[in-house]
Amino acid sequence: MLKTRDNSELINRINHNRIYFFLALVVIIMTLGAPGFLRSGNIAPMMKTALLPIMVGIGFTFAMIAGNFDLSVGAVINVGAAIVMGEFNRFYALFGGESAGDGAVIAAWIIAFVLALAAGSLVGLANGLVVAKGKVHSFIVTIGMLTAMSGFVYTYSKGNTISANSYMLVDVIEKPFLRVPYLEIITWRFLIVSLILAFFEILLTKTRWGRDLFMVGSNREAAWQAGIDTDRKVIESFVISGFTAALGGILFAVSMNAAVPNYGERGINPLMLVLASTIIGGTVMTGGHGSVLKTAVAVITIQAIFNGLIGMGLGFDSQVLAAGMLLGVVVLGEAYALYRQSLKRGERPSLMKEAAELKAARSSNR
Amino acid sequence: MSSISLPLGGDVRKTRQNSLTLLINRFGVFFMILVLSGVGLIVSPGFFSSTNLLNILNAVSYLGIVAAGIAFVIFCGQYGDMSAPMTMAISGVISVEFMRYGLVPAFLAAMATGLVIGAVNGYIVGKFRANAIIWTLAMNFILEGLVRWSYKGTQIYPDMATEKTYQTGFFLPLLAKLDRHIMDIDLVSRAQAFNGLATTYPLGVPLVLYVMFAVMIIGYIVMSKTTFGNQLRVVGSSYEVGRMSGINATGTVMKAFMMSSLFASIAGIFMTSLNRVGAFYIGQGYDFQAVTAIILGGMSLSGGRGSMIGVFGGVFTLGLISNILTLVGIGTFTQKMITGFLFIVVVAVNARSLRKLGRDYA
């Protein structure tokens, strides 16, 4: 093979930012195909549905940058949701219920949030410990955790939907600040998700911690040689994944005032969405490359596709099919790219070029 | 002479395995069965009655068929086949579609579907070296979308069909176009034969159990006594070594996945017959349970290790655990949780013991 790879700067840059082009393309197609796609009444609910996968995608991206998959997020969402609702009800009743006033509600919510977030982080910690110290493949461990946790949620909630006995927080968290078209998407939930997204993007790109994580993902051995505690980095990335998945579930449950034990088991699985978005967003499956912000943009892109399908008059089942197809294409494309890369490994383009020039020179001499 | 001897202490790696470790590694699951049987006897005196034993086996027979298939995938070093649940569902749906022309076409169509799914999985995993779990998970979602989309979210009943039924589905519109008298077929008698599959008891033992043993014996012979089995073992131990020693590695992986999907589709037919309805949710959870059973049975996730006898042991162990927990009064949801944790512990211990032996990562 005498072909040399064309590594021009522009193509690289376009490839790195492919998700923005993809989003633009989707928006253009959907605007043309689905009437009313760009109306505020359509965009606002769409963004609202995207908040959960964006939140979960943060941690998922972190785990993937460190070179691992966290498939347990699908169940950790439900763990967070069930615990925050169940524990709120328990402590609300403990503090005296309705007769105790607003103070009891706030105190109960704080305790419930802390407990639910701790539960999510604990699941992440367990995942991380088994992966890093036990040296077991992450997808094996986390798929076991997925089953264990979905069993836990059913046991905890006895298979029922749990609703909070107070509507105070729902009213606060879901109320838009401004009743202006397009700006009505800005609610407390939106702000919380945006702030956490910004925090983790900065952590990833601007701090030493983030650079170390990239190094662990791209070459674990080299990172260890450079003095990075690689096991600790992997465990931390899993804890972040558990934390954000639980927080996503918590915010979702609070905004609906209901925690179902099987959210996503029938229909469009959040795990599927997050997995597809993370890969579309440019995070490499083998680790060492990725961005939280791009994952979030990819989530919005996929939501736009679903939304447009509904706008075109296709049913929910076509959405499920589209989601599956999208994930399939993305995984296949990524696998194919890695396969091409592995074929090129060890190839020396400059030597090949030299050999070709030599051959050409020789034949012209003759 | 002494100048060329090894440094102090010499090579510290074990060159020979401890025979006890090897024994536990190979037959550990049967010790577990012994212990669980003891626990079962304490919990309930009627534990060893033939009815209870038959109940246990009957409960895991579907799992056994699926696990026998996925064992091939794990044996050749590919972690697992997460598309098994939807392979079961789609085969069930297709067998219901073809059931109106008799049981044989139903079986053939369903198994052909399974083989196609396995071939696709196997090609992509074997050729492009895609991560098996992630790809088959994606495949599972694609298949779910396909079934739901083509049936518009509804289910298909073997004994009921209206004009409208023939407008949805995979092959029903085509069948309706080819056969103008399709509405005249007496569905009730055919459906009775189809639904009866899961409730037939030749000699007082469910038919599914015979099928499970047949599948396991075939699996054992293929895996341990044939050239293909040996090729699987080599490719499972090391893909590169297999490829460089002249084995068609892609083809071997492909065949392993086809075995997995074929067995899953057989289980799917019986499952659909048991539920008397074809739907996308048939077979949910079987992927993970099967992998758990296989790992319990001493097969290593790094491939090339273990046997079908161990798989049967693992399946039987899961049946025993479930039976004992039910006797104690623990619900199915908590059982699911316990199985999940058990899986993580077994995998971690397995990986650790292999590493101690200086073998490899699992």
Side-chain angles (χ1 to χ4, degrees), chain A residues 10 48 58 66 82 101 151 201 231 236 258 296 327 349:
Chain A
L10 184 71
K48 223 184 244 177
I58 297 172
E201 177 71 15
D231 282 359
E236 279 168 352
L327 180 61

Side-chain angles (χ1 to χ4, degrees), chain A residues 83-84 87-88 91 107-117 250:
Chain A
I83 289 185
V84 80
E87 296 304 310
F88 170 77
F91 282 98
W109 273 125
I110 290 173
I111 294 173
F113 265 70
V114 169
L115 285 175
L117 287 174
I250 291 168

Side-chain angles (χ1 to χ4, degrees), chain B residues 18-294:
Chain B
N18 188 340
S19 55
L20 183 70
T21 327
L22 204 68
L23 203 70
I24 290 177
N25 219 335
R26 190 164 294 171
F27 297 109
V29 69
F30 294 101
F31 288 121
M32 207 144 137
I33 289 177
L34 219 63
V35 172
L36 283 173
S37 304
V39 174
L41 218 58
I42 296 166
V43 171
S44 154
F47 191 74
F48 275 121
S49 65
S50 58
T51 17
N52 194 34
L53 281 181
L54 207 60
N55 272 343
I56 295 174
L57 278 173
N58 192 14
V60 294
S61 51
Y62 300 94
L63 177 63
I65 299 172
V66 180
I70 297 184
F72 279 92
V73 172
I74 293 186
F75 193 62
C76 84
Q78 301 294 345
Y79 313 121
D81 183 356
M82 295 291 133
S83 67
M86 282 316 298
T87 308
M88 288 170 77
I90 206 168
S91 312
V93 164
I94 283 184
S95 67
V96 171
E97 284 188 358
F98 279 91
M99 168 222 73
R100 62 204 75 236
Y101 292 114
L103 283 180
V104 176
F107 265 80
L108 289 181
M111 280 152 74
T113 315
L115 285 176
V116 170
I117 294 169
V120 172
N121 278 341
Y123 186 76
I124 286 166
V125 173
K127 177 83 181 171
F128 302 129
R129 314 291 311 278
N131 182 324
I133 296 261
I134 303 297
W135 168 257
T136 50
L137 206 60
M139 190 66 174
N140 199 41
F141 287 132
I142 294 175
L143 293 175
E144 179 177 349
L146 270 180
V147 175
R148 292 179 66 151
W149 175 70
S150 53
Y151 279 93
K152 300 193 168 60
T154 56
Q155 310 174 329
I156 176 167
Y157 296 92
D159 50 356
M160 271 176 5
T162 58
E163 292 261 7
K164 237 178 141 186
T165 314
Y166 288 100
Q167 289 161 13
T168 58
F170 290 98
F171 292 104
L172 283 181
L174 186 72
L175 289 179
K177 210 172 273 178
L178 291 177
D179 184 358
R180 220 168 300 153
H181 305 291
I182 200 157
M183 288 303 285
D184 305 332
I185 297 173
D186 180 21
L187 277 181
V188 176
S189 63
R190 303 274 165 130
Q192 247 167 12
F194 182 80
N195 288 341
L197 275 176
T199 46
T200 317
Y201 292 83
L203 305 175
V205 178
L207 179 64
V208 197
L209 211 51
Y210 289 108
V211 175
M212 183 192 87
F213 279 117
V215 160
M216 287 233 166
I217 290 168
I218 292 171
Y220 174 75
I221 292 170
V222 171
M223 196 181 275
S224 307
K225 306 283 173 200
T226 63
T227 322
F228 171 60
N230 285 336
Q231 288 176 348
L232 270 181
R233 190 185 293 273
V234 175
V235 173
S237 306
S238 170
Y239 184 93
E240 285 303 319
V241 168
R243 203 166 59 92
M244 293 190 176
S245 55
I247 298 171
N248 179 358
T250 309
T252 311
V253 173
M254 221 164 129
K255 279 180 209 154
F257 271 97
M258 281 163 84
M259 285 295 249
S260 164
S261 294
L262 180 67
F263 288 0
S265 66
I266 293 173
I269 297 168
F270 280 95
M271 198 75 181
T272 309
S273 153
L274 183 75
N275 282 299
R276 292 158 186 260
V277 60
F280 66 88
Y281 50 78
I282 300 261
Q284 250 178 12
Y286 271 85
D287 48 353
F288 178 74
Q289 275 192 27
V291 176
T292 311
I294 294 164

